[in-house]
Amino acid sequence: MSNVPHAYLLMKASLAQFGLNLQQLKPEQLAQAERAAVNAQQLQQRVLNSAEASKVVIGASQVEQAISELQSRYPQVEEFYDSLTVNGLDLPQLRQALRDEIHSETVLDYICKDLPDLSQEQALAYYDKQPEKFSQPERRRVSHILLTINDEFPENTAEQALARITELAQKITTDNFVHLAKRYSECPSAMRGGELGFSHQGQLYPELDQVLFGMSANDISAPIQSEIGYHLIWCHEIMPAHTVSFAQAYPQINQAHMKRARVAKQKQWLAELVVANREQTQRDKVLS
């Protein structure tokens, strides 16, 4: 097997499993990444040596797009090239490895191209047998502003945080909530204007939960204290508890079915490749 795909797959295994470059791995981590890379390369070679591999074509643009996507993960282009060097690769080698990877993945897609959708009757039987999966609890779309309590900073003592949140509460409205959240909130959600999305009971801090599920749509709360600080919450809208209709559920049921069917089809096909390869090896031994 070529060392180029192995070097790429080893780099990929190292980053996926440990978030580290090869030189940063401990010996036991390196051994684990090596095993993963060897298994991935053996699988890839079986796929690329199959008759089906000749039935799909990989365009240069697909490879270049994959390279661009990888490069975009690095703040600077120099860091991208440095990472390749650290992992024993250069750009032509990466291009070759990505072409093999994309070709292999496309072949696996190709063998699943004729898988049928789940019939309406089969999907309905699943829907009827597992009603709990299609029951949605009441949910509320919520945003918040958080001022944390941290005695290491004078402005974040409990007393000061309460004073600051009380001052905000006196001037906050639905019109300026997003602006004030972006300016004052000490939660990462400040980047989204305080948006937390839809929440059902039990997802937020108990103190927030208790207030949120007693509010009306478009209400803003008084200051609420939780274990991390003081909050103002805005209940944008209320989505009542409901059961998802079969018509709404069918696309998701079918999608889950197709995902399972694809995995089963690919496993079966790969197992058949192994058997065929073993039989061919035995025939070659007899003829030699």
Side-chain angles (χ1 to χ4, degrees), residues 124-139:
L124 183 58
Y126 177 85
Y127 177 85
D128 288 339
K129 287 180 180 178
Q130 305 199 54
E132 71 283 354
K133 291 189 175 182
F134 306 101
S135 296
Q136 293 284 350
E138 180 183 305
R139 296 185 298 158

PDB file of all heavy atoms in Angstrom, residues 124-139:
ATOM      1  N   LEU A 124     -45.790   4.133   8.529  1.00  0.00           N
ATOM      2  CA  LEU A 124     -46.961   4.328   9.385  1.00  0.00           C
ATOM      3  C   LEU A 124     -46.987   3.304  10.511  1.00  0.00           C
ATOM      4  O   LEU A 124     -47.350   3.629  11.648  1.00  0.00           O
ATOM      5  CB  LEU A 124     -48.236   4.239   8.551  1.00  0.00           C
ATOM      6  CG  LEU A 124     -49.553   4.496   9.299  1.00  0.00           C
ATOM      7  CD1 LEU A 124     -49.541   5.876   9.947  1.00  0.00           C
ATOM      8  CD2 LEU A 124     -50.740   4.358   8.347  1.00  0.00           C
ATOM      9  N   ALA A 125     -46.583   2.070  10.208  1.00  0.00           N
ATOM     10  CA  ALA A 125     -46.532   1.041  11.242  1.00  0.00           C
ATOM     11  C   ALA A 125     -45.534   1.434  12.334  1.00  0.00           C
ATOM     12  O   ALA A 125     -45.804   1.279  13.527  1.00  0.00           O
ATOM     13  CB  ALA A 125     -46.141  -0.301  10.623  1.00  0.00           C
ATOM     14  N   TYR A 126     -44.400   1.970  11.930  1.00  0.00           N
ATOM     15  CA  TYR A 126     -43.395   2.439  12.896  1.00  0.00           C
ATOM     16  C   TYR A 126     -43.952   3.607  13.704  1.00  0.00           C
ATOM     17  O   TYR A 126     -43.782   3.667  14.926  1.00  0.00           O
ATOM     18  CB  TYR A 126     -42.131   2.860  12.142  1.00  0.00           C
ATOM     19  CG  TYR A 126     -41.049   3.427  13.025  1.00  0.00           C
ATOM     20  CD1 TYR A 126     -40.148   2.583  13.681  1.00  0.00           C
ATOM     21  CD2 TYR A 126     -40.919   4.802  13.218  1.00  0.00           C
ATOM     22  CE1 TYR A 126     -39.146   3.100  14.489  1.00  0.00           C
ATOM     23  CE2 TYR A 126     -39.924   5.331  14.031  1.00  0.00           C
ATOM     24  CZ  TYR A 126     -39.040   4.473  14.659  1.00  0.00           C
ATOM     25  OH  TYR A 126     -38.063   4.984  15.468  1.00  0.00           O
ATOM     26  N   TYR A 127     -44.597   4.526  13.035  1.00  0.00           N
ATOM     27  CA  TYR A 127     -45.170   5.713  13.680  1.00  0.00           C
ATOM     28  C   TYR A 127     -46.211   5.301  14.721  1.00  0.00           C
ATOM     29  O   TYR A 127     -46.243   5.835  15.834  1.00  0.00           O
ATOM     30  CB  TYR A 127     -45.807   6.590  12.604  1.00  0.00           C
ATOM     31  CG  TYR A 127     -46.512   7.830  13.103  1.00  0.00           C
ATOM     32  CD1 TYR A 127     -45.809   9.010  13.345  1.00  0.00           C
ATOM     33  CD2 TYR A 127     -47.896   7.832  13.283  1.00  0.00           C
ATOM     34  CE1 TYR A 127     -46.461  10.148  13.779  1.00  0.00           C
ATOM     35  CE2 TYR A 127     -48.556   8.972  13.720  1.00  0.00           C
ATOM     36  CZ  TYR A 127     -47.832  10.131  13.971  1.00  0.00           C
ATOM     37  OH  TYR A 127     -48.491  11.253  14.396  1.00  0.00           O
ATOM     38  N   ASP A 128     -47.053   4.341  14.396  1.00  0.00           N
ATOM     39  CA  ASP A 128     -48.120   3.913  15.308  1.00  0.00           C
ATOM     40  C   ASP A 128     -47.582   3.143  16.514  1.00  0.00           C
ATOM     41  O   ASP A 128     -48.143   3.217  17.606  1.00  0.00           O
ATOM     42  CB  ASP A 128     -49.125   3.035  14.557  1.00  0.00           C
ATOM     43  CG  ASP A 128     -49.992   3.837  13.592  1.00  0.00           C
ATOM     44  OD1 ASP A 128     -50.097   5.067  13.781  1.00  0.00           O
ATOM     45  OD2 ASP A 128     -50.548   3.242  12.651  1.00  0.00           O
ATOM     46  N   LYS A 129     -46.473   2.424  16.318  1.00  0.00           N
ATOM     47  CA  LYS A 129     -45.926   1.597  17.395  1.00  0.00           C
ATOM     48  C   LYS A 129     -45.120   2.402  18.410  1.00  0.00           C
ATOM     49  O   LYS A 129     -44.914   1.950  19.540  1.00  0.00           O
ATOM     50  CB  LYS A 129     -45.046   0.479  16.811  1.00  0.00           C
ATOM     51  CG  LYS A 129     -45.833  -0.636  16.136  1.00  0.00           C
ATOM     52  CD  LYS A 129     -44.887  -1.702  15.583  1.00  0.00           C
ATOM     53  CE  LYS A 129     -45.673  -2.813  14.897  1.00  0.00           C
ATOM     54  NZ  LYS A 129     -44.770  -3.840  14.296  1.00  0.00           N
ATOM     55  N   GLN A 130     -44.634   3.570  18.010  1.00  0.00           N
ATOM     56  CA  GLN A 130     -43.779   4.344  18.907  1.00  0.00           C
ATOM     57  C   GLN A 130     -44.264   5.791  19.011  1.00  0.00           C
ATOM     58  O   GLN A 130     -43.551   6.726  18.637  1.00  0.00           O
ATOM     59  CB  GLN A 130     -42.335   4.294  18.408  1.00  0.00           C
ATOM     60  CG  GLN A 130     -41.835   2.862  18.227  1.00  0.00           C
ATOM     61  CD  GLN A 130     -40.338   2.780  18.191  1.00  0.00           C
ATOM     62  OE1 GLN A 130     -39.635   3.260  19.098  1.00  0.00           O
ATOM     63  NE2 GLN A 130     -39.817   2.174  17.153  1.00  0.00           N
ATOM     64  N   PRO A 131     -45.473   5.984  19.514  1.00  0.00           N
ATOM     65  CA  PRO A 131     -46.054   7.342  19.569  1.00  0.00           C
ATOM     66  C   PRO A 131     -45.243   8.311  20.414  1.00  0.00           C
ATOM     67  O   PRO A 131     -45.243   9.520  20.158  1.00  0.00           O
ATOM     68  CB  PRO A 131     -47.447   7.105  20.156  1.00  0.00           C
ATOM     69  CG  PRO A 131     -47.325   5.810  20.907  1.00  0.00           C
ATOM     70  CD  PRO A 131     -46.374   4.979  20.106  1.00  0.00           C
ATOM     71  N   GLU A 132     -44.539   7.784  21.433  1.00  0.00           N
ATOM     72  CA  GLU A 132     -43.777   8.681  22.320  1.00  0.00           C
ATOM     73  C   GLU A 132     -42.676   9.430  21.571  1.00  0.00           C
ATOM     74  O   GLU A 132     -42.272  10.533  21.979  1.00  0.00           O
ATOM     75  CB  GLU A 132     -43.176   7.890  23.490  1.00  0.00           C
ATOM     76  CG  GLU A 132     -42.030   6.951  23.145  1.00  0.00           C
ATOM     77  CD  GLU A 132     -42.471   5.642  22.486  1.00  0.00           C
ATOM     78  OE1 GLU A 132     -43.693   5.405  22.400  1.00  0.00           O
ATOM     79  OE2 GLU A 132     -41.593   4.871  22.082  1.00  0.00           O
ATOM     80  N   LYS A 133     -42.187   8.869  20.478  1.00  0.00           N
ATOM     81  CA  LYS A 133     -41.123   9.521  19.715  1.00  0.00           C
ATOM     82  C   LYS A 133     -41.632  10.729  18.936  1.00  0.00           C
ATOM     83  O   LYS A 133     -40.835  11.535  18.454  1.00  0.00           O
ATOM     84  CB  LYS A 133     -40.463   8.528  18.763  1.00  0.00           C
ATOM     85  CG  LYS A 133     -39.641   7.457  19.471  1.00  0.00           C
ATOM     86  CD  LYS A 133     -38.832   6.642  18.489  1.00  0.00           C
ATOM     87  CE  LYS A 133     -37.940   5.662  19.234  1.00  0.00           C
ATOM     88  NZ  LYS A 133     -37.087   4.880  18.301  1.00  0.00           N
ATOM     89  N   PHE A 134     -42.929  10.848  18.809  1.00  0.00           N
ATOM     90  CA  PHE A 134     -43.497  11.917  17.992  1.00  0.00           C
ATOM     91  C   PHE A 134     -44.336  12.893  18.819  1.00  0.00           C
ATOM     92  O   PHE A 134     -45.071  13.702  18.279  1.00  0.00           O
ATOM     93  CB  PHE A 134     -44.320  11.310  16.849  1.00  0.00           C
ATOM     94  CG  PHE A 134     -43.514  10.323  16.053  1.00  0.00           C
ATOM     95  CD1 PHE A 134     -43.666   8.963  16.248  1.00  0.00           C
ATOM     96  CD2 PHE A 134     -42.562  10.760  15.151  1.00  0.00           C
ATOM     97  CE1 PHE A 134     -42.898   8.059  15.541  1.00  0.00           C
ATOM     98  CE2 PHE A 134     -41.786   9.859  14.435  1.00  0.00           C
ATOM     99  CZ  PHE A 134     -41.962   8.502  14.630  1.00  0.00           C
ATOM    100  N   SER A 135     -44.175  12.801  20.145  1.00  0.00           N
ATOM    101  CA  SER A 135     -44.844  13.746  21.043  1.00  0.00           C
ATOM    102  C   SER A 135     -43.852  14.828  21.434  1.00  0.00           C
ATOM    103  O   SER A 135     -42.770  14.529  21.967  1.00  0.00           O
ATOM    104  CB  SER A 135     -45.346  13.030  22.300  1.00  0.00           C
ATOM    105  OG  SER A 135     -46.337  12.079  21.951  1.00  0.00           O
ATOM    106  N   GLN A 136     -44.202  16.072  21.172  1.00  0.00           N
ATOM    107  CA  GLN A 136     -43.330  17.198  21.495  1.00  0.00           C
ATOM    108  C   GLN A 136     -43.855  17.915  22.731  1.00  0.00           C
ATOM    109  O   GLN A 136     -45.011  18.318  22.770  1.00  0.00           O
ATOM    110  CB  GLN A 136     -43.290  18.183  20.318  1.00  0.00           C
ATOM    111  CG  GLN A 136     -42.622  17.638  19.074  1.00  0.00           C
ATOM    112  CD  GLN A 136     -41.103  17.609  19.208  1.00  0.00           C
ATOM    113  OE1 GLN A 136     -40.551  18.151  20.147  1.00  0.00           O
ATOM    114  NE2 GLN A 136     -40.441  16.967  18.265  1.00  0.00           N
ATOM    115  N   PRO A 137     -43.019  18.077  23.772  1.00  0.00           N
ATOM    116  CA  PRO A 137     -43.458  18.832  24.957  1.00  0.00           C
ATOM    117  C   PRO A 137     -43.557  20.322  24.620  1.00  0.00           C
ATOM    118  O   PRO A 137     -43.060  20.781  23.580  1.00  0.00           O
ATOM    119  CB  PRO A 137     -42.336  18.584  25.962  1.00  0.00           C
ATOM    120  CG  PRO A 137     -41.118  18.383  25.100  1.00  0.00           C
ATOM    121  CD  PRO A 137     -41.619  17.657  23.870  1.00  0.00           C
ATOM    122  N   GLU A 138     -44.212  21.063  25.485  1.00  0.00           N
ATOM    123  CA  GLU A 138     -44.264  22.510  25.294  1.00  0.00           C
ATOM    124  C   GLU A 138     -42.844  23.071  25.266  1.00  0.00           C
ATOM    125  O   GLU A 138     -41.987  22.699  26.078  1.00  0.00           O
ATOM    126  CB  GLU A 138     -45.044  23.162  26.434  1.00  0.00           C
ATOM    127  CG  GLU A 138     -45.130  24.671  26.303  1.00  0.00           C
ATOM    128  CD  GLU A 138     -45.843  25.319  27.478  1.00  0.00           C
ATOM    129  OE1 GLU A 138     -46.984  24.912  27.765  1.00  0.00           O
ATOM    130  OE2 GLU A 138     -45.241  26.224  28.107  1.00  0.00           O
ATOM    131  N   ARG A 139     -42.605  23.954  24.323  1.00  0.00           N
ATOM    132  CA  ARG A 139     -41.287  24.593  24.212  1.00  0.00           C
ATOM    133  C   ARG A 139     -41.465  26.104  24.110  1.00  0.00           C
ATOM    134  O   ARG A 139     -42.491  26.580  23.620  1.00  0.00           O
ATOM    135  CB  ARG A 139     -40.528  24.073  22.992  1.00  0.00           C
ATOM    136  CG  ARG A 139     -40.187  22.590  23.062  1.00  0.00           C
ATOM    137  CD  ARG A 139     -39.334  22.182  21.875  1.00  0.00           C
ATOM    138  NE  ARG A 139     -40.033  22.381  20.617  1.00  0.00           N
ATOM    139  CZ  ARG A 139     -39.435  22.524  19.432  1.00  0.00           C
ATOM    140  NH1 ARG A 139     -38.114  22.529  19.349  1.00  0.00           N
ATOM    141  NH2 ARG A 139     -40.145  22.681  18.329  1.00  0.00           N
TER     142      ARG A 139
END
